[in-house]
Amino acid sequence: MYTAYIMTPTLIIVIVLAVVVLWVILSYNGLVSLRNRVKEAWSDIDVQLKRRYDLIPNLVETVKGYATHEKDVFENVTKARAAAMGAQTVAEHGAAENMLTGALKSLFAVSEAYPALRASENFAKLQDELSDTENKIQAARRFYNSNVLALNTKIESFPSNLIAGMFGFTKSDFFELNDQAQREPVQVKF
């Protein structure tokens, strides 16, 4: 004989609650994963920025050997580097990197006036390393910003915004450079 299985109201409530709990867990884990990807992407940027900061003193010293009377330029680069290294937030890093890029442009403009400097093997090597680092920073910034976009979209989208609000997830800042810095990268070729 065929026995029909009838769902009782209690069973329906249990199933609905199980689905809701499963959805909350999956949403929370998705947000945690995105937040960790943003942190990892920032770490990639941080590594490249530190590499850039390490190259700058060598570059300044090399140029100083040829252009001793350009004290203001060297001081501006040093101040900009210190400000960039001391930045704490993503927005502060963006502003400091814009300032540093401008200071480096001034340094390279000064170096153009010294043909012996341009011919220096050490200077050429530092230029190549800085150019490579700038490209890596740009790639790391794109990766970071794409992860921030994914996280921010999830935090703002319904219904995951309910979970984000309950568990204190906050939007991350994009790592933005001003439009001028984006269009005109540091020139390192002579």
Side-chain angles (χ1 to χ4, degrees), residues 49-76:
L49 291 176
K50 286 178 182 172
R51 181 175 181 226
R52 182 186 198 201
Y53 303 151
D54 290 344
L55 288 171
I56 290 171
N58 295 335
L59 188 63
V60 168
E61 288 303 314
T62 301
V63 175
K64 270 186 185 179
Y66 291 88
T68 56
H69 63 281
E70 304 289 348
K71 184 178 179 181
D72 290 343
V73 173
F74 303 134
E75 286 178 2
N76 288 341

CSV table of all heavy atoms in Angstrom, one decimal, residues 49-76:
chain,number,residue,atom,x,y,z
A,49,LEU,N,56.0,48.5,-2.9
A,49,LEU,CA,56.3,49.9,-2.5
A,49,LEU,C,57.6,49.9,-1.6
A,49,LEU,O,58.4,50.8,-1.8
A,49,LEU,CB,55.2,50.5,-1.6
A,49,LEU,CG,53.9,50.8,-2.4
A,49,LEU,CD1,52.8,51.2,-1.5
A,49,LEU,CD2,54.1,51.8,-3.5
A,50,LYS,N,57.8,48.9,-0.8
A,50,LYS,CA,59.0,48.8,0.0
A,50,LYS,C,60.2,48.7,-0.9
A,50,LYS,O,61.3,49.3,-0.7
A,50,LYS,CB,58.9,47.7,1.0
A,50,LYS,CG,58.0,48.0,2.1
A,50,LYS,CD,57.9,46.8,3.1
A,50,LYS,CE,56.9,47.2,4.2
A,50,LYS,NZ,56.6,46.2,5.1
A,51,ARG,N,60.1,47.9,-2.0
A,51,ARG,CA,61.2,47.7,-2.9
A,51,ARG,C,61.5,49.1,-3.6
A,51,ARG,O,62.6,49.5,-3.7
A,51,ARG,CB,60.8,46.7,-4.0
A,51,ARG,CG,61.9,46.5,-5.0
A,51,ARG,CD,61.5,45.4,-6.0
A,51,ARG,NE,62.6,45.2,-7.0
A,51,ARG,CZ,62.4,45.1,-8.3
A,51,ARG,NH1,61.2,45.1,-8.8
A,51,ARG,NH2,63.5,44.9,-9.0
A,52,ARG,N,60.4,49.8,-3.9
A,52,ARG,CA,60.6,51.2,-4.5
A,52,ARG,C,61.3,52.1,-3.5
A,52,ARG,O,62.3,52.8,-3.9
A,52,ARG,CB,59.3,51.8,-4.9
A,52,ARG,CG,59.3,53.1,-5.5
A,52,ARG,CD,57.9,53.6,-5.7
A,52,ARG,NE,57.8,54.7,-6.6
A,52,ARG,CZ,56.9,55.6,-6.7
A,52,ARG,NH1,55.9,55.5,-5.8
A,52,ARG,NH2,56.9,56.5,-7.6
A,53,TYR,N,60.9,52.1,-2.3
A,53,TYR,CA,61.5,52.9,-1.2
A,53,TYR,C,63.0,52.6,-1.0
A,53,TYR,O,63.8,53.4,-0.7
A,53,TYR,CB,60.8,52.8,0.1
A,53,TYR,CG,59.3,53.1,0.0
A,53,TYR,CD1,58.4,52.5,0.9
A,53,TYR,CD2,58.8,54.0,-0.9
A,53,TYR,CE1,57.1,52.8,0.9
A,53,TYR,CE2,57.4,54.3,-1.0
A,53,TYR,CZ,56.6,53.7,-0.1
A,53,TYR,OH,55.2,53.9,-0.1
A,54,ASP,N,63.3,51.3,-1.2
A,54,ASP,CA,64.7,50.9,-1.0
A,54,ASP,C,65.6,51.3,-2.2
A,54,ASP,O,66.8,51.5,-2.0
A,54,ASP,CB,64.8,49.3,-0.9
A,54,ASP,CG,64.3,48.8,0.5
A,54,ASP,OD1,64.1,49.7,1.4
A,54,ASP,OD2,64.0,47.6,0.6
A,55,LEU,N,65.0,51.4,-3.4
A,55,LEU,CA,65.8,51.8,-4.5
A,55,LEU,C,66.1,53.3,-4.5
A,55,LEU,O,67.1,53.8,-5.0
A,55,LEU,CB,65.0,51.5,-5.8
A,55,LEU,CG,65.0,50.0,-6.2
A,55,LEU,CD1,64.0,49.9,-7.4
A,55,LEU,CD2,66.3,49.5,-6.6
A,56,ILE,N,65.2,54.1,-4.0
A,56,ILE,CA,65.3,55.6,-4.1
A,56,ILE,C,66.5,56.1,-3.4
A,56,ILE,O,67.2,56.9,-4.1
A,56,ILE,CB,64.0,56.2,-3.5
A,56,ILE,CG1,62.8,55.9,-4.5
A,56,ILE,CG2,64.2,57.7,-3.3
A,56,ILE,CD1,61.5,56.3,-4.0
A,57,PRO,N,67.0,55.7,-2.2
A,57,PRO,CA,68.2,56.3,-1.7
A,57,PRO,C,69.4,56.0,-2.6
A,57,PRO,O,70.3,56.9,-2.8
A,57,PRO,CB,68.4,55.6,-0.3
A,57,PRO,CG,67.0,55.1,0.0
A,57,PRO,CD,66.3,54.9,-1.3
A,58,ASN,N,69.5,54.8,-3.2
A,58,ASN,CA,70.6,54.5,-4.1
A,58,ASN,C,70.6,55.4,-5.3
A,58,ASN,O,71.6,55.9,-5.8
A,58,ASN,CB,70.5,53.0,-4.5
A,58,ASN,CG,70.7,52.1,-3.4
A,58,ASN,OD1,71.4,52.4,-2.4
A,58,ASN,ND2,70.2,50.9,-3.5
A,59,LEU,N,69.4,55.6,-5.8
A,59,LEU,CA,69.2,56.5,-7.0
A,59,LEU,C,69.6,57.9,-6.6
A,59,LEU,O,70.4,58.6,-7.4
A,59,LEU,CB,67.8,56.5,-7.5
A,59,LEU,CG,67.4,57.1,-8.8
A,59,LEU,CD1,68.2,56.5,-9.9
A,59,LEU,CD2,65.9,57.1,-9.0
A,60,VAL,N,69.2,58.4,-5.5
A,60,VAL,CA,69.5,59.8,-5.1
A,60,VAL,C,71.0,59.9,-4.9
A,60,VAL,O,71.6,60.9,-5.4
A,60,VAL,CB,68.8,60.2,-3.8
A,60,VAL,CG1,69.3,61.4,-3.2
A,60,VAL,CG2,67.3,60.3,-4.0
A,61,GLU,N,71.6,58.9,-4.3
A,61,GLU,CA,73.1,59.0,-4.1
A,61,GLU,C,73.9,59.0,-5.4
A,61,GLU,O,74.9,59.7,-5.5
A,61,GLU,CB,73.6,57.8,-3.2
A,61,GLU,CG,73.2,58.0,-1.7
A,61,GLU,CD,73.7,59.3,-1.1
A,61,GLU,OE1,74.9,59.6,-1.3
A,61,GLU,OE2,72.9,59.9,-0.4
A,62,THR,N,73.4,58.2,-6.3
A,62,THR,CA,74.0,58.2,-7.6
A,62,THR,C,73.9,59.5,-8.3
A,62,THR,O,74.9,60.0,-8.9
A,62,THR,CB,73.4,57.1,-8.5
A,62,THR,OG1,73.5,55.8,-7.9
A,62,THR,CG2,74.0,57.0,-9.9
A,63,VAL,N,72.7,60.1,-8.3
A,63,VAL,CA,72.6,61.4,-8.9
A,63,VAL,C,73.4,62.5,-8.2
A,63,VAL,O,74.0,63.4,-8.8
A,63,VAL,CB,71.1,61.8,-9.0
A,63,VAL,CG1,70.9,63.2,-9.5
A,63,VAL,CG2,70.3,60.8,-9.9
A,64,LYS,N,73.4,62.4,-6.8
A,64,LYS,CA,74.2,63.4,-6.0
A,64,LYS,C,75.6,63.4,-6.5
A,64,LYS,O,76.3,64.5,-6.5
A,64,LYS,CB,74.1,63.0,-4.6
A,64,LYS,CG,73.0,63.6,-3.8
A,64,LYS,CD,73.2,63.3,-2.3
A,64,LYS,CE,72.0,63.8,-1.5
A,64,LYS,NZ,72.2,63.4,-0.1
A,65,GLY,N,76.2,62.3,-6.8
A,65,GLY,CA,77.6,62.2,-7.2
A,65,GLY,C,77.9,63.1,-8.5
A,65,GLY,O,79.0,63.5,-8.7
A,66,TYR,N,76.9,63.3,-9.3
A,66,TYR,CA,77.0,64.0,-10.5
A,66,TYR,C,76.4,65.4,-10.4
A,66,TYR,O,76.9,66.4,-11.1
A,66,TYR,CB,76.4,63.3,-11.7
A,66,TYR,CG,77.1,62.0,-12.1
A,66,TYR,CD1,76.7,60.8,-11.4
A,66,TYR,CD2,78.1,62.0,-13.0
A,66,TYR,CE1,77.4,59.7,-11.8
A,66,TYR,CE2,78.7,60.8,-13.4
A,66,TYR,CZ,78.4,59.7,-12.7
A,66,TYR,OH,79.0,58.5,-13.0
A,67,ALA,N,75.4,65.6,-9.6
A,67,ALA,CA,74.7,66.9,-9.6
A,67,ALA,C,74.6,67.4,-8.2
A,67,ALA,O,73.6,67.4,-7.5
A,67,ALA,CB,73.3,66.7,-10.1
A,68,THR,N,75.8,67.8,-7.6
A,68,THR,CA,75.9,68.1,-6.2
A,68,THR,C,75.1,69.4,-5.9
A,68,THR,O,74.7,69.6,-4.7
A,68,THR,CB,77.3,68.3,-5.8
A,68,THR,OG1,77.9,69.2,-6.7
A,68,THR,CG2,78.1,67.0,-5.9
A,69,HIS,N,74.8,70.3,-6.8
A,69,HIS,CA,74.2,71.5,-6.4
A,69,HIS,C,72.7,71.5,-6.5
A,69,HIS,O,72.0,72.5,-6.5
A,69,HIS,CB,74.7,72.7,-7.3
A,69,HIS,CG,74.5,72.5,-8.8
A,69,HIS,ND1,75.2,71.7,-9.6
A,69,HIS,CD2,73.5,73.1,-9.6
A,69,HIS,CE1,74.7,71.7,-10.8
A,69,HIS,NE2,73.7,72.5,-10.8
A,70,GLU,N,72.1,70.3,-6.7
A,70,GLU,CA,70.6,70.2,-6.8
A,70,GLU,C,70.0,69.7,-5.4
A,70,GLU,O,69.2,68.8,-5.4
A,70,GLU,CB,70.3,69.2,-7.9
A,70,GLU,CG,70.8,69.5,-9.2
A,70,GLU,CD,70.2,70.6,-9.9
A,70,GLU,OE1,69.1,71.1,-9.4
A,70,GLU,OE2,70.7,71.1,-10.9
A,71,LYS,N,70.4,70.4,-4.4
A,71,LYS,CA,70.0,70.0,-3.0
A,71,LYS,C,68.5,70.0,-2.8
A,71,LYS,O,68.0,69.1,-2.2
A,71,LYS,CB,70.7,71.0,-2.0
A,71,LYS,CG,70.4,70.6,-0.6
A,71,LYS,CD,71.1,71.6,0.3
A,71,LYS,CE,70.9,71.2,1.8
A,71,LYS,NZ,71.5,72.1,2.7
A,72,ASP,N,67.8,71.0,-3.3
A,72,ASP,CA,66.3,71.0,-3.1
A,72,ASP,C,65.6,69.7,-3.7
A,72,ASP,O,64.7,69.2,-3.1
A,72,ASP,CB,65.7,72.2,-3.8
A,72,ASP,CG,66.1,73.5,-3.1
A,72,ASP,OD1,66.5,73.4,-1.9
A,72,ASP,OD2,65.9,74.6,-3.7
A,73,VAL,N,66.1,69.3,-4.9
A,73,VAL,CA,65.5,68.1,-5.5
A,73,VAL,C,65.7,66.9,-4.6
A,73,VAL,O,64.8,66.1,-4.4
A,73,VAL,CB,66.1,67.9,-6.9
A,73,VAL,CG1,65.6,66.6,-7.5
A,73,VAL,CG2,65.7,69.0,-7.8
A,74,PHE,N,66.9,66.7,-4.1
A,74,PHE,CA,67.2,65.6,-3.2
A,74,PHE,C,66.4,65.6,-2.0
A,74,PHE,O,65.9,64.6,-1.5
A,74,PHE,CB,68.7,65.6,-2.9
A,74,PHE,CG,69.6,65.5,-4.1
A,74,PHE,CD1,70.7,66.3,-4.2
A,74,PHE,CD2,69.3,64.7,-5.2
A,74,PHE,CE1,71.5,66.3,-5.3
A,74,PHE,CE2,70.2,64.6,-6.3
A,74,PHE,CZ,71.3,65.4,-6.4
A,75,GLU,N,66.3,66.8,-1.4
A,75,GLU,CA,65.5,66.9,-0.2
A,75,GLU,C,64.0,66.6,-0.4
A,75,GLU,O,63.4,66.0,0.4
A,75,GLU,CB,65.6,68.4,0.4
A,75,GLU,CG,67.0,68.6,1.1
A,75,GLU,CD,67.1,70.0,1.6
A,75,GLU,OE1,66.1,70.8,1.5
A,75,GLU,OE2,68.2,70.4,2.1
A,76,ASN,N,63.5,67.1,-1.6
A,76,ASN,CA,62.1,66.8,-1.9
A,76,ASN,C,61.8,65.3,-2.1
A,76,ASN,O,60.8,64.7,-1.6
A,76,ASN,CB,61.7,67.5,-3.2
A,76,ASN,CG,61.5,69.0,-2.9
A,76,ASN,OD1,61.4,69.5,-1.8
A,76,ASN,ND2,61.6,69.8,-4.0
